[in-house]
Amino acid sequence: MSFLHEMSTKGVFPDFVTYNTLIGGFCRVGRPKTALELLHKMQVCGQHPDLQTCAILLDGLCKNLHFSEAMPLFQEMEEKKVHLNIAIYSILIDGICNTGRLTTAKELFNSLPTKGLQPDVRTYNIMVKGLCKEGLLNEVREVLEKMEENGCSPDHFTYNTIIQGFLQHNETSLVVKYLKIMVDKGLSANANTTTILIDLLSTNQADKILQDFFQKSV
C-alpha cells in the first residue's frame, strides 16, 4: 500500500496488473474488505475492473465467508452486462455451498443452461461436494449421471469426494462400486480417502463387502 501511494505521488498510475495483484494479495491474507476498497479506488481513478479483477475479488470474498459483500458484487456485474463465464458462476456456487445455502446453490446450478452456460468439471465437483456434505447421496448420483450425459468426464476429485461421502454414511456397496469405477478409469484414491479406508479396515468396522473388495484387489 505504501508503494501504491508512492506511485501516485510520482505521477505513476497503477494498471490492471497492479490492482489485480494487490486485490489478490489482500484476499489471500484474509483482508477482503481492504481488497474491496481497492476496487472502489480503482473505479474512482477511472479504471474499470475487468473480468479477472471481479473473479479474484469474488473468489476472495467467498473464501473468507464475506458472502454479504460477494452477492452485491455479483449482482453489479450482472447489471453492467459483464460477460460472466462458468468460472465466475463456479466461484459463486462454491461460496453459497460453503455458507450452507445448498438450495440456493442448486437453483443457480440448475439455471446455468438458461444463461447459455454448461457446467465444467469444477462446477460439478463443487455440487458433488456440497451434496455429500449434506448427506444427499441420491442427488449426488443424479449429478454424476447428468455430468456423464453432458460429456463431462468425472476426475479423481469427483470420485474421491463421492467415495468419502458414501463412507461417512456407511453406504459400503456404493463405496465399492465407485472404487471399482475409479480404478478402472486409472484414477487413484487421494490421501483423505486412503486414510478413511485404512482406519475403517484396521478397526474391523468395515463390513464384508468392503473387506472382500480389498482382499480381491490385493
Side-chain angles (χ1 to χ4, degrees):
M1 291 299 287
S2 296
F3 275 118
L4 184 65
H5 177 70
E6 187 178 334
M7 285 174 69
S8 62
T9 62
K10 294 184 176 180
V12 181
F13 301 101
D15 58 12
F16 284 107
V17 176
T18 310
Y19 278 114
N20 288 352
T21 302
L22 284 167
I23 288 170
F26 279 111
C27 286
R28 282 192 296 275
V29 297
R31 293 178 59 185
K33 288 192 175 181
T34 305
L36 201 56
E37 290 169 8
L38 280 167
L39 177 71
H40 295 317
K41 181 178 177 64
M42 186 179 184
Q43 292 169 318
V44 168
C45 293
Q47 296 253 24
H48 296 289
D50 62 4
L51 187 62
Q52 184 182 5
T53 312
C54 295
I56 291 168
L57 184 53
L58 187 65
D59 186 54
L61 290 168
C62 287
K63 284 181 177 174
N64 286 281
L65 302 181
H66 284 256
F67 195 71
S68 58
E69 288 92 0
M71 201 62 201
L73 174 64
F74 176 76
Q75 290 168 344
E76 183 182 343
M77 291 165 71
E78 284 192 314
E79 289 166 5
K80 290 184 176 178
K81 307 295 183 184
V82 176
H83 179 65
L84 302 177
N85 58 25
I86 192 61
I88 294 289
Y89 281 97
S90 295
I91 290 169
L92 188 62
I93 291 169
D94 191 29
I96 296 170
C97 285
N98 289 335
T99 57
R101 299 165 63 180
L102 192 59
T103 300
T104 305
K106 288 195 290 184
E107 288 172 357
L108 185 57
F109 176 79
N110 291 329
S111 74
L112 290 174
T114 67
K115 303 176 188 298
L117 296 169
Q118 285 297 327
D120 59 15
V121 65
R122 184 188 174 206
T123 321
Y124 280 113
N125 286 345
I126 288 166
M127 283 308 306
V128 165
K129 181 183 174 184
L131 292 167
C132 283
K133 186 177 178 181
E134 297 297 323
L136 301 173
L137 304 184
N138 286 334
E139 291 188 43
V140 170
R141 297 171 72 182
E142 289 172 8
V143 169
L144 185 62
E145 288 174 9
K146 185 185 292 186
M147 185 177 186
E148 293 176 324
E149 286 171 6
N150 291 336
C152 185
S153 299
D155 61 9
H156 73 283
F157 184 90
T158 317
Y159 287 112
N160 277 284
T161 303
I162 289 172
I163 289 165
Q164 289 172 36
F166 286 138
L167 276 169
Q168 288 165 3
H169 293 87
N170 299 314
E171 294 286 350
T172 311
S173 60
L174 290 171
V175 169
V176 171
K177 173 184 174 181
Y178 288 109
L179 277 169
K180 287 178 178 176
I181 293 172
M182 183 170 67
V183 171
D184 288 344
K185 291 192 174 188
L187 303 172
S188 302
N190 63 22
N192 287 337
T193 304
T194 303
T195 299
I196 295 170
L197 287 167
I198 290 172
D199 287 346
L200 194 61
L201 290 165
S202 64
T203 56
N204 294 319
Q205 292 179 1
D207 66 20
K208 194 172 186 305
I209 298 173
L210 195 57
Q211 290 174 349
D212 288 347
F213 171 77
F214 277 98
Q215 285 174 355
K216 289 176 183 176
S217 299
V218 173

